[in-house]
Amino acid sequence: MRDAIEKICARFGDDYWLKRDSDGEFPHEFHRALASDGWLGVCIPESYGGSGLGISEAAVMMHTIAESGAGFSGASAVHMNIFGLNPVVVYGTDEQKRRMLPPIVTGKEKACFAVTEPNAGLETAKLQTRAERRGDRYIVNGAKIWISTAQVADKMLILTRTAPAEQTRKPTDGLSLFFTALDRRFVEVREIEKMGRKAVDSNQMFIDNLEVPAEDRIGEEGLGFKYIIDGFNPERILVAVEAIGLGRAALKRAAAYAKERVVFGRPIGKNQAIQHPLAECWMELEAAKLVAMKAAWQYDNGVPCGPAANAAKYLGAEAGFKACQTAVMTHGGYGYAKEFHVERYLRESMIARIAPVTPHLILCFIAEKVLGLPKSY
Ligand SMILES: Cc1cc2nc3c(=O)[nH]c(=O)nc-3n(C[C@H](O)[C@H](O)[C@H](O)COP(=O)(O)OP(=O)(O)OC[C@H]3O[C@@H](n4cnc5c(N)ncnc54)[C@H](O)[C@@H]3O)c2cc1C
């Protein structure tokens, strides 16, 4: 798998990604190249056009993409296709799977993942976007924020409230999940200017009386939170390996530069002050990768993977960020120049720290669920 993905990525070199980072164009050619070789369906069952493989294989794929130097510009361009439709795979009806999955596998359609809201943040139970049932359809109104690829997406997996939180047993009840058309007549998509990964847009979404057919609802009404959680752990695992891959790309560049750059009459890489931080980054990336692959194995084998998936996302994001930052410092002033690529890596590495969940909340989760400490949030 690594060889095959590396071969595709080799067609999209550093200059391609540097250009996308400045012009902000979505990497359609890259998306098409992976789709035409069938990679977008890596986790989709064979009966719906995919390869029927697991998160372990998807992790190998996404790590390889990021490590090629495509970083998050490449990984995020296909990320949603890889894991995102997991709730449809697990909870969708046969009719829904036949209708929804093949166009994503072939690359004919792109999908985005619409969960985060401006007034809810990490507190998913506070989502306010409403879906009201009217006969055979729902009318959706509300706002979402940070929704990646919404500029180019045809479809969205959207979490909405169908019953007010006050009327439900638990605050996370009363949420419903839909996979439906992103109909731009009723959804305004406004791009957010951001720090990095310019080629893959992130957006505000304003939804005004969007009609959603009831047959686009995934599973039962009110159980959307339970369904979407199914996608949370695979997403954490994939974001972890993407960050680790990017860290490795940065480290490779830093080591190569440290061997070449001569100051005070010798290569800078001969100094332990340059060597040691790079060696430390290598070990941290390696350790994070093992935790991520353990989490992927657990997920694929039906073993609870929450602690490992969260730990992997935390460790992978931090190790990736540190490697990118160390790479910039190893390059000195040139690390700040775009043509050496590592400044782009550093900006992109911040994404994995913040999304889809922050390090603070992961620490809260581990403290509560693994160590048995009181819930703190
Ligand atoms: C580039 C990018 C792409 C994204 N793409 C998507 C997407 O495609 N779809 C989507 O739905 N979302 C997306 N997101 C949203 C992302 O998942 C959220 O930004 C993230 O979950 C954090 O939520 P928030 O920004 O609302 O932070 P907030 O919830 O406002 O939190 C702000 C800060 O306070 C901290 N904090 C809050 N409560 C506590 C507590 N109890 N204890 C300790 N610390 C606390 C948080 O850790 C955080 O650091 C994306 C974000 C980015 C930056």
Side-chain angles (χ1 to χ4, degrees):
M1 277 186 71
R2 262 190 81 87
D3 289 349
I5 299 286
E6 271 172 3
K7 227 178 248 169
I8 296 172
C9 291
R11 286 157 42 198
F12 301 88
D14 295 326
D15 292 340
Y16 175 81
W17 295 111
L18 184 59
K19 185 132 197 303
R20 293 293 78 79
D21 192 57
S22 68
D23 65 21
E25 263 178 50
F26 188 85
H28 287 289
E29 310 80 4
F30 179 71
H31 183 275
R32 259 197 304 274
L34 287 167
S36 66
D37 283 2
W39 290 107
L40 298 187
V42 64
C43 295
I44 306 275
E46 283 174 290
S47 41
Y48 303 106
S51 315
L53 298 170
I55 287 296
S56 303
E57 287 84 1
V60 171
M61 171 180 169
M62 298 310 286
H63 178 265
T64 310
I65 290 174
E67 192 181 10
S68 75
F72 277 85
S73 299
S76 303
V78 294
H79 176 98
M80 172 66 192
N81 298 63
I82 304 302
F83 87 95
L85 292 190
N86 201 47
V88 178
V89 171
V90 180
Y91 298 103
T93 62
D94 183 51
E95 181 280 320
Q96 287 178 323
K97 290 188 226 188
R98 267 189 285 120
R99 179 161 56 90
M100 296 168 176
L101 300 177
I104 296 292
V105 174
T106 58
K108 194 167 156 241
E109 286 180 357
K110 297 189 183 73
C112 63
F113 190 67
V115 175
T116 308
E117 291 191 6
N119 296 328
L122 286 155
E123 200 176 355
T124 310
K126 287 273 158 66
L127 293 191
Q128 291 170 342
T129 294
R130 288 273 300 152
E132 272 175 54
R133 180 96 195 213
R134 299 233 187 105
D136 62 352
R137 45 202 54 228
Y138 288 83
I139 309 297
V140 180
N141 281 287
K144 296 279 175 186
I145 194 160
W146 285 115
I147 311 311
S148 299
T149 74
Q151 294 287 341
V152 292
D154 310 278
K155 293 280 169 62
M156 60 178 166
L157 189 71
I158 181 169
L159 191 61
T160 63
R161 191 156 269 298
T162 38
E166 310 81 60
Q167 290 172 18
T168 57
R169 207 167 44 87
K170 281 191 295 174
T172 47
D173 286 348
L175 295 169
S176 299
L177 188 66
F178 299 88
F179 186 67
T180 196
L182 201 174
D183 186 341
R184 287 164 204 278
R185 289 171 304 166
F186 307 99
V187 182
E188 188 195 336
V189 179
R190 215 180 283 166
E191 188 164 357
I192 301 169
E193 288 290 324
K194 59 190 188 320
M195 182 194 264
R197 204 195 64 182
K198 191 169 180 196
V200 181
D201 52 275
S202 293
N203 306 275
Q204 287 180 281
M205 267 174 55
F206 302 93
I207 308 164
D208 186 15
N209 286 319
L210 173 72
E211 288 195 15
V212 175
E215 63 255 28
D216 286 356
R217 194 189 68 226
I218 307 301
E220 280 180 51
E221 189 176 290
L223 297 185
F225 187 73
K226 172 174 160 312
Y227 304 147
I228 209 138
I229 273 203
D230 246 44
F232 278 0
N233 286 328
E235 181 173 35
R236 282 159 174 54
I237 296 167
L238 296 185
V239 170
V241 295
E242 290 163 16
I244 295 162
L246 180 62
R248 285 195 172 161
L251 208 53
K252 191 171 155 202
R253 283 194 163 273
Y257 187 80
K259 276 190 259 177
E260 275 167 22
R261 174 73 172 164
V262 175
V263 186
F264 295 110
R266 59 196 193 144
I268 56 166
K270 222 172 168 190
N271 302 304
Q272 289 181 345
I274 291 287
Q275 285 185 3
H276 287 187
L278 295 174
E280 204 172 274
C281 287
W282 182 86
M283 292 188 290
E284 288 175 12
L285 290 167
E286 195 70 3
K289 179 87 190 298
L290 287 175
V291 179
M293 294 315 287
K294 174 185 167 176
W297 182 90
Q298 288 177 331
Y299 183 84
D300 288 339
N301 287 280
V303 177
C305 70
N310 278 280
K313 148 59 191 142
Y314 180 100
L315 296 169
E318 297 306 312
F321 167 71
K322 188 166 151 184
C324 293
Q325 192 185 38
T326 307
V328 170
M329 293 310 287
T330 304
H331 281 73
Y334 296 97
Y336 211 65
K338 290 201 183 272
E339 68 171 291
F340 284 80
H341 304 283
V342 287
E343 66 79 39
R344 170 163 51 89
Y345 296 172
L346 178 60
R347 287 184 282 112
E348 290 192 358
S349 74
M350 281 299 289
I351 297 170
R353 300 183 81 201
I354 298 167
V357 61
T358 58
H360 314 125
L361 266 283
I362 291 182
L363 293 172
C364 293
F365 173 88
I366 298 290
E368 182 198 344
K369 304 285 182 197
V370 181
L371 302 178
L373 295 170
K375 184 169 178 171
S376 64
Y377 58 97

Short mmCIF file of all heavy atoms in Angstrom, two decimals, residues 47-106:
data_model
loop_
_atom_site.label_atom_id
_atom_site.label_comp_id
_atom_site.label_asym_id
_atom_site.label_seq_id
_atom_site.Cartn_x
_atom_site.Cartn_y
_atom_site.Cartn_z
N SER A 47 -19.04 -4.50 -1.29
CA SER A 47 -20.35 -4.54 -1.95
C SER A 47 -20.84 -3.16 -2.37
O SER A 47 -21.78 -3.04 -3.14
CB SER A 47 -21.38 -5.22 -1.04
OG SER A 47 -21.19 -4.77 0.28
N TYR A 48 -20.23 -2.10 -1.84
CA TYR A 48 -20.63 -0.74 -2.24
C TYR A 48 -19.50 -0.04 -3.01
O TYR A 48 -19.39 1.18 -3.02
CB TYR A 48 -21.06 0.07 -1.01
CG TYR A 48 -22.19 -0.61 -0.27
CD1 TYR A 48 -21.96 -1.25 0.94
CD2 TYR A 48 -23.47 -0.65 -0.81
CE1 TYR A 48 -22.98 -1.91 1.60
CE2 TYR A 48 -24.50 -1.32 -0.16
CZ TYR A 48 -24.25 -1.95 1.03
OH TYR A 48 -25.26 -2.61 1.67
N GLY A 49 -18.62 -0.84 -3.59
CA GLY A 49 -17.60 -0.26 -4.47
C GLY A 49 -16.26 0.01 -3.84
O GLY A 49 -15.33 0.48 -4.50
N GLY A 50 -16.12 -0.26 -2.52
CA GLY A 50 -14.85 0.02 -1.86
C GLY A 50 -13.94 -1.19 -1.80
O GLY A 50 -14.19 -2.20 -2.46
N SER A 51 -12.89 -1.06 -0.97
CA SER A 51 -11.94 -2.17 -0.84
C SER A 51 -12.19 -2.99 0.41
O SER A 51 -11.55 -4.02 0.61
CB SER A 51 -10.51 -1.62 -0.74
OG SER A 51 -10.29 -0.64 -1.69
N GLY A 52 -13.07 -2.52 1.30
CA GLY A 52 -13.43 -3.29 2.48
C GLY A 52 -12.29 -3.50 3.46
O GLY A 52 -12.28 -4.46 4.22
N LEU A 53 -11.32 -2.58 3.46
CA LEU A 53 -10.21 -2.72 4.41
C LEU A 53 -10.53 -1.94 5.69
O LEU A 53 -11.61 -1.37 5.82
CB LEU A 53 -8.91 -2.22 3.76
CG LEU A 53 -8.48 -3.02 2.51
CD1 LEU A 53 -7.34 -2.31 1.79
CD2 LEU A 53 -8.07 -4.43 2.90
N GLY A 54 -9.57 -1.92 6.61
CA GLY A 54 -9.86 -1.31 7.92
C GLY A 54 -9.19 0.04 8.11
O GLY A 54 -8.60 0.61 7.19
N ILE A 55 -9.31 0.52 9.36
CA ILE A 55 -8.68 1.80 9.72
C ILE A 55 -7.15 1.64 9.73
O ILE A 55 -6.42 2.59 9.47
CB ILE A 55 -9.24 2.31 11.07
CG1 ILE A 55 -10.67 2.81 10.87
CG2 ILE A 55 -8.40 3.42 11.68
CD1 ILE A 55 -10.82 4.02 9.96
N SER A 56 -6.68 0.43 10.01
CA SER A 56 -5.22 0.21 9.98
C SER A 56 -4.67 0.53 8.59
O SER A 56 -3.64 1.21 8.45
CB SER A 56 -4.87 -1.24 10.33
OG SER A 56 -5.40 -1.57 11.57
N GLU A 57 -5.35 0.02 7.57
CA GLU A 57 -4.88 0.28 6.19
C GLU A 57 -5.06 1.76 5.84
O GLU A 57 -4.20 2.36 5.20
CB GLU A 57 -5.64 -0.60 5.20
CG GLU A 57 -5.25 -2.06 5.23
CD GLU A 57 -5.99 -2.86 6.31
OE1 GLU A 57 -6.82 -2.26 7.03
OE2 GLU A 57 -5.73 -4.07 6.43
N ALA A 58 -6.21 2.33 6.29
CA ALA A 58 -6.42 3.76 6.02
C ALA A 58 -5.33 4.59 6.68
O ALA A 58 -4.88 5.61 6.14
CB ALA A 58 -7.80 4.19 6.52
N ALA A 59 -4.89 4.13 7.87
CA ALA A 59 -3.84 4.87 8.59
C ALA A 59 -2.53 4.83 7.80
O ALA A 59 -1.83 5.84 7.70
CB ALA A 59 -3.65 4.28 9.99
N VAL A 60 -2.22 3.67 7.23
CA VAL A 60 -1.00 3.56 6.41
C VAL A 60 -1.10 4.55 5.24
O VAL A 60 -0.16 5.28 4.91
CB VAL A 60 -0.82 2.12 5.89
CG1 VAL A 60 0.31 2.04 4.86
CG2 VAL A 60 -0.54 1.17 7.06
N MET A 61 -2.29 4.56 4.63
CA MET A 61 -2.50 5.43 3.46
C MET A 61 -2.34 6.92 3.84
O MET A 61 -1.59 7.65 3.19
CB MET A 61 -3.91 5.16 2.92
CG MET A 61 -4.36 6.12 1.86
SD MET A 61 -6.03 5.69 1.31
CE MET A 61 -6.38 7.16 0.36
N MET A 62 -3.02 7.34 4.91
CA MET A 62 -3.01 8.77 5.25
C MET A 62 -1.64 9.22 5.76
O MET A 62 -1.21 10.34 5.51
CB MET A 62 -4.10 9.07 6.29
CG MET A 62 -5.51 8.78 5.79
SD MET A 62 -5.90 9.48 4.18
CE MET A 62 -6.09 11.20 4.59
N HIS A 63 -0.96 8.31 6.46
CA HIS A 63 0.40 8.62 6.92
C HIS A 63 1.32 8.83 5.73
O HIS A 63 2.11 9.78 5.68
CB HIS A 63 0.89 7.45 7.80
CG HIS A 63 2.29 7.64 8.30
ND1 HIS A 63 3.38 7.11 7.65
CD2 HIS A 63 2.78 8.32 9.36
CE1 HIS A 63 4.47 7.45 8.31
NE2 HIS A 63 4.13 8.18 9.35
N THR A 64 1.18 7.95 4.74
CA THR A 64 2.04 8.04 3.55
C THR A 64 1.78 9.34 2.79
O THR A 64 2.72 9.99 2.31
CB THR A 64 1.81 6.82 2.63
OG1 THR A 64 1.90 5.64 3.43
CG2 THR A 64 2.81 6.76 1.51
N ILE A 65 0.52 9.72 2.69
CA ILE A 65 0.18 10.97 1.98
C ILE A 65 0.85 12.15 2.68
O ILE A 65 1.55 12.95 2.05
CB ILE A 65 -1.36 11.16 1.91
CG1 ILE A 65 -1.98 10.14 0.96
CG2 ILE A 65 -1.71 12.59 1.50
CD1 ILE A 65 -3.49 10.16 0.91
N ALA A 66 0.65 12.24 3.99
CA ALA A 66 1.20 13.40 4.72
C ALA A 66 2.73 13.39 4.64
O ALA A 66 3.36 14.43 4.42
CB ALA A 66 0.74 13.37 6.17
N GLU A 67 3.32 12.22 4.78
CA GLU A 67 4.79 12.10 4.80
C GLU A 67 5.42 12.45 3.45
O GLU A 67 6.59 12.84 3.37
CB GLU A 67 5.18 10.67 5.21
CG GLU A 67 6.65 10.52 5.55
CD GLU A 67 7.04 9.10 5.93
OE1 GLU A 67 6.22 8.17 5.74
OE2 GLU A 67 8.17 8.93 6.41
N SER A 68 4.63 12.33 2.38
CA SER A 68 5.17 12.64 1.05
C SER A 68 5.48 14.12 0.90
O SER A 68 6.09 14.54 -0.09
CB SER A 68 4.16 12.23 -0.03
OG SER A 68 3.10 13.19 -0.06
N GLY A 69 5.01 14.93 1.86
CA GLY A 69 5.17 16.38 1.75
C GLY A 69 3.84 17.05 1.40
O GLY A 69 3.72 18.26 1.41
N ALA A 70 2.82 16.19 1.12
CA ALA A 70 1.49 16.74 0.85
C ALA A 70 0.89 17.29 2.15
O ALA A 70 0.02 18.16 2.12
CB ALA A 70 0.58 15.65 0.28
N GLY A 71 1.37 16.79 3.27
CA GLY A 71 0.94 17.30 4.58
C GLY A 71 -0.57 17.30 4.72
O GLY A 71 -1.28 16.42 4.19
N PHE A 72 -1.07 18.30 5.41
CA PHE A 72 -2.53 18.39 5.59
C PHE A 72 -3.22 18.92 4.35
O PHE A 72 -4.42 18.71 4.18
CB PHE A 72 -2.86 19.23 6.84
CG PHE A 72 -2.77 18.40 8.08
CD1 PHE A 72 -1.56 18.21 8.72
CD2 PHE A 72 -3.88 17.74 8.58
CE1 PHE A 72 -1.45 17.41 9.84
CE2 PHE A 72 -3.80 16.93 9.70
CZ PHE A 72 -2.58 16.76 10.34
N SER A 73 -2.49 19.60 3.46
CA SER A 73 -3.13 20.05 2.21
C SER A 73 -3.58 18.83 1.42
O SER A 73 -4.66 18.83 0.82
CB SER A 73 -2.14 20.85 1.36
OG SER A 73 -1.71 21.98 2.05
N GLY A 74 -2.78 17.78 1.42
CA GLY A 74 -3.15 16.55 0.71
C GLY A 74 -4.08 15.69 1.53
O GLY A 74 -5.11 15.22 1.05
N ALA A 75 -3.72 15.48 2.80
CA ALA A 75 -4.51 14.56 3.64
C ALA A 75 -5.94 15.07 3.82
O ALA A 75 -6.90 14.30 3.66
CB ALA A 75 -3.83 14.38 4.99
N SER A 76 -6.10 16.36 4.13
CA SER A 76 -7.45 16.86 4.40
C SER A 76 -8.32 16.87 3.13
O SER A 76 -9.54 16.89 3.22
CB SER A 76 -7.42 18.28 4.96
OG SER A 76 -6.65 18.33 6.13
N ALA A 77 -7.67 16.87 1.96
CA ALA A 77 -8.44 16.88 0.71
C ALA A 77 -9.22 15.58 0.53
O ALA A 77 -10.24 15.55 -0.17
CB ALA A 77 -7.52 17.11 -0.48
N VAL A 78 -8.76 14.51 1.17
CA VAL A 78 -9.45 13.22 1.01
C VAL A 78 -9.91 12.62 2.35
O VAL A 78 -10.64 11.64 2.36
CB VAL A 78 -8.55 12.18 0.30
CG1 VAL A 78 -8.29 12.59 -1.14
CG2 VAL A 78 -7.23 11.97 1.01
N HIS A 79 -9.49 13.23 3.43
CA HIS A 79 -9.73 12.71 4.78
C HIS A 79 -11.20 12.32 5.00
O HIS A 79 -11.50 11.23 5.47
CB HIS A 79 -9.27 13.79 5.76
CG HIS A 79 -9.51 13.51 7.19
ND1 HIS A 79 -8.54 13.00 8.02
CD2 HIS A 79 -10.61 13.66 7.96
CE1 HIS A 79 -9.03 12.86 9.23
NE2 HIS A 79 -10.28 13.25 9.22
N MET A 80 -12.12 13.24 4.66
CA MET A 80 -13.54 12.98 4.92
C MET A 80 -14.04 11.75 4.16
O MET A 80 -14.86 10.98 4.65
CB MET A 80 -14.33 14.24 4.51
CG MET A 80 -15.82 14.08 4.54
SD MET A 80 -16.47 13.81 6.20
CE MET A 80 -18.14 13.32 5.81
N ASN A 81 -13.50 11.55 2.94
CA ASN A 81 -13.94 10.40 2.14
C ASN A 81 -13.53 9.09 2.79
O ASN A 81 -14.17 8.07 2.61
CB ASN A 81 -13.29 10.44 0.76
CG ASN A 81 -13.70 11.67 0.01
OD1 ASN A 81 -13.39 12.77 0.43
ND2 ASN A 81 -14.41 11.50 -1.08
N ILE A 82 -12.41 9.14 3.52
CA ILE A 82 -11.84 7.90 4.04
C ILE A 82 -12.62 7.37 5.25
O ILE A 82 -13.02 6.23 5.29
CB ILE A 82 -10.35 8.11 4.42
CG1 ILE A 82 -9.57 8.62 3.22
CG2 ILE A 82 -9.72 6.84 4.98
CD1 ILE A 82 -9.63 7.74 2.00
N PHE A 83 -12.83 8.23 6.22
CA PHE A 83 -13.47 7.72 7.45
C PHE A 83 -14.89 8.27 7.60
O PHE A 83 -15.70 7.71 8.32
CB PHE A 83 -12.67 8.15 8.69
CG PHE A 83 -13.11 9.51 9.16
CD1 PHE A 83 -14.06 9.63 10.16
CD2 PHE A 83 -12.65 10.63 8.54
CE1 PHE A 83 -14.54 10.88 10.52
CE2 PHE A 83 -13.12 11.87 8.90
CZ PHE A 83 -14.06 11.99 9.90
N GLY A 84 -15.17 9.39 6.95
CA GLY A 84 -16.33 10.22 7.29
C GLY A 84 -17.67 9.52 7.17
O GLY A 84 -18.60 9.80 7.92
N LEU A 85 -17.76 8.62 6.20
CA LEU A 85 -19.07 8.01 5.99
C LEU A 85 -19.26 6.73 6.81
O LEU A 85 -20.21 5.97 6.58
CB LEU A 85 -19.30 7.75 4.50
CG LEU A 85 -19.45 9.05 3.70
CD1 LEU A 85 -19.91 8.77 2.30
CD2 LEU A 85 -20.43 10.00 4.37
N ASN A 86 -18.40 6.57 7.80
CA ASN A 86 -18.52 5.42 8.68
C ASN A 86 -19.93 5.27 9.29
O ASN A 86 -20.47 4.16 9.31
CB ASN A 86 -17.46 5.55 9.79
CG ASN A 86 -17.18 4.23 10.42
OD1 ASN A 86 -16.97 3.25 9.71
ND2 ASN A 86 -17.18 4.18 11.73
N PRO A 87 -20.56 6.36 9.76
CA PRO A 87 -21.92 6.20 10.30
C PRO A 87 -22.91 5.66 9.26
O PRO A 87 -23.83 4.91 9.60
CB PRO A 87 -22.32 7.61 10.73
CG PRO A 87 -21.02 8.32 10.95
CD PRO A 87 -20.06 7.74 9.95
N VAL A 88 -22.69 6.02 7.98
CA VAL A 88 -23.58 5.48 6.93
C VAL A 88 -23.30 3.99 6.76
O VAL A 88 -24.21 3.17 6.64
CB VAL A 88 -23.37 6.23 5.58
CG1 VAL A 88 -24.26 5.64 4.49
CG2 VAL A 88 -23.62 7.72 5.75
N VAL A 89 -22.00 3.63 6.76
CA VAL A 89 -21.62 2.22 6.60
C VAL A 89 -22.21 1.39 7.74
O VAL A 89 -22.76 0.31 7.54
CB VAL A 89 -20.07 2.08 6.58
CG1 VAL A 89 -19.66 0.62 6.63
CG2 VAL A 89 -19.49 2.75 5.35
N VAL A 90 -22.15 1.93 8.96
CA VAL A 90 -22.57 1.13 10.13
C VAL A 90 -24.09 1.20 10.35
O VAL A 90 -24.71 0.18 10.65
CB VAL A 90 -21.81 1.61 11.41
CG1 VAL A 90 -22.24 0.81 12.64
CG2 VAL A 90 -20.31 1.48 11.21
N TYR A 91 -24.69 2.37 10.20
CA TYR A 91 -26.10 2.53 10.57
C TYR A 91 -27.04 2.78 9.41
O TYR A 91 -28.26 2.82 9.60
CB TYR A 91 -26.25 3.68 11.59
CG TYR A 91 -25.49 3.40 12.87
CD1 TYR A 91 -24.27 4.03 13.13
CD2 TYR A 91 -25.98 2.50 13.81
CE1 TYR A 91 -23.56 3.76 14.29
CE2 TYR A 91 -25.28 2.23 14.97
CZ TYR A 91 -24.07 2.85 15.20
OH TYR A 91 -23.37 2.58 16.34
N GLY A 92 -26.51 2.99 8.20
CA GLY A 92 -27.37 3.26 7.04
C GLY A 92 -28.12 2.00 6.59
O GLY A 92 -27.69 0.89 6.88
N THR A 93 -29.23 2.21 5.88
CA THR A 93 -29.94 1.06 5.31
C THR A 93 -29.21 0.65 4.02
O THR A 93 -28.37 1.40 3.50
CB THR A 93 -31.38 1.45 4.93
OG1 THR A 93 -31.30 2.48 3.92
CG2 THR A 93 -32.17 1.97 6.12
N ASP A 94 -29.57 -0.52 3.52
CA ASP A 94 -28.94 -0.99 2.28
C ASP A 94 -29.19 0.02 1.15
O ASP A 94 -28.29 0.35 0.38
CB ASP A 94 -29.48 -2.37 1.93
CG ASP A 94 -28.79 -2.92 0.69
OD1 ASP A 94 -27.54 -2.91 0.69
OD2 ASP A 94 -29.49 -3.32 -0.25
N GLU A 95 -30.42 0.54 1.10
CA GLU A 95 -30.77 1.52 0.04
C GLU A 95 -29.88 2.76 0.16
O GLU A 95 -29.35 3.27 -0.83
CB GLU A 95 -32.26 1.89 0.17
CG GLU A 95 -32.78 2.88 -0.87
CD GLU A 95 -32.46 4.35 -0.59
OE1 GLU A 95 -32.54 4.79 0.60
OE2 GLU A 95 -32.10 5.06 -1.54
N GLN A 96 -29.68 3.24 1.41
CA GLN A 96 -28.85 4.43 1.61
C GLN A 96 -27.41 4.17 1.20
O GLN A 96 -26.78 4.99 0.55
CB GLN A 96 -28.90 4.86 3.09
CG GLN A 96 -30.23 5.50 3.47
CD GLN A 96 -30.29 5.87 4.94
OE1 GLN A 96 -29.76 5.16 5.80
NE2 GLN A 96 -30.94 6.98 5.25
N LYS A 97 -26.89 3.00 1.59
CA LYS A 97 -25.49 2.70 1.26
C LYS A 97 -25.31 2.63 -0.25
O LYS A 97 -24.32 3.13 -0.78
CB LYS A 97 -25.08 1.39 1.92
CG LYS A 97 -24.98 1.50 3.43
CD LYS A 97 -24.40 0.25 4.01
CE LYS A 97 -25.20 -0.19 5.19
NZ LYS A 97 -24.65 -1.27 5.96
N ARG A 98 -26.30 2.01 -0.93
CA ARG A 98 -26.17 1.90 -2.39
C ARG A 98 -26.23 3.27 -3.05
O ARG A 98 -25.57 3.55 -4.04
CB ARG A 98 -27.28 0.99 -2.95
CG ARG A 98 -26.79 -0.45 -3.05
CD ARG A 98 -27.74 -1.35 -3.77
NE ARG A 98 -28.88 -1.66 -2.91
CZ ARG A 98 -30.14 -1.38 -3.21
NH1 ARG A 98 -30.45 -0.80 -4.34
NH2 ARG A 98 -31.10 -1.71 -2.38
N ARG A 99 -27.04 4.17 -2.46
CA ARG A 99 -27.20 5.50 -3.04
C ARG A 99 -26.05 6.43 -2.66
O ARG A 99 -25.58 7.23 -3.47
CB ARG A 99 -28.53 6.06 -2.50
CG ARG A 99 -28.91 7.45 -2.93
CD ARG A 99 -30.42 7.68 -2.74
NE ARG A 99 -30.91 7.46 -1.39
CZ ARG A 99 -30.97 8.38 -0.43
NH1 ARG A 99 -30.54 9.61 -0.68
NH2 ARG A 99 -31.47 8.11 0.76
N MET A 100 -25.56 6.32 -1.40
CA MET A 100 -24.63 7.34 -0.88
C MET A 100 -23.15 7.01 -1.07
O MET A 100 -22.35 7.92 -1.25
CB MET A 100 -24.91 7.56 0.62
CG MET A 100 -26.29 8.12 0.89
SD MET A 100 -26.72 8.05 2.65
CE MET A 100 -28.33 8.88 2.63
N LEU A 101 -22.79 5.74 -0.98
CA LEU A 101 -21.36 5.41 -0.93
C LEU A 101 -20.63 5.41 -2.28
O LEU A 101 -19.55 6.01 -2.39
CB LEU A 101 -21.16 4.07 -0.19
CG LEU A 101 -21.68 4.05 1.26
CD1 LEU A 101 -21.50 2.66 1.87
CD2 LEU A 101 -20.96 5.08 2.11
N PRO A 102 -21.18 4.75 -3.32
CA PRO A 102 -20.39 4.66 -4.57
C PRO A 102 -19.93 6.01 -5.15
O PRO A 102 -18.76 6.12 -5.56
CB PRO A 102 -21.31 3.90 -5.53
CG PRO A 102 -22.17 3.07 -4.61
CD PRO A 102 -22.41 3.95 -3.41
N PRO A 103 -20.76 7.08 -5.15
CA PRO A 103 -20.25 8.33 -5.72
C PRO A 103 -19.07 8.92 -4.95
O PRO A 103 -18.24 9.63 -5.52
CB PRO A 103 -21.46 9.29 -5.63
CG PRO A 103 -22.64 8.44 -5.38
CD PRO A 103 -22.17 7.19 -4.71
N ILE A 104 -18.98 8.60 -3.65
CA ILE A 104 -17.85 9.09 -2.85
C ILE A 104 -16.60 8.27 -3.20
O ILE A 104 -15.50 8.81 -3.33
CB ILE A 104 -18.17 8.96 -1.34
CG1 ILE A 104 -19.36 9.85 -0.97
CG2 ILE A 104 -16.96 9.27 -0.46
CD1 ILE A 104 -19.11 11.34 -1.04
N VAL A 105 -16.78 6.96 -3.37
CA VAL A 105 -15.65 6.08 -3.70
C VAL A 105 -15.05 6.46 -5.05
O VAL A 105 -13.83 6.53 -5.20
CB VAL A 105 -16.11 4.60 -3.72
CG1 VAL A 105 -14.98 3.70 -4.20
CG2 VAL A 105 -16.57 4.17 -2.34
N THR A 106 -15.91 6.73 -6.03
CA THR A 106 -15.39 7.02 -7.36
C THR A 106 -14.86 8.46 -7.48
O THR A 106 -14.23 8.81 -8.47
CB THR A 106 -16.48 6.84 -8.44
OG1 THR A 106 -17.56 7.72 -8.10
CG2 THR A 106 -16.96 5.40 -8.51
#
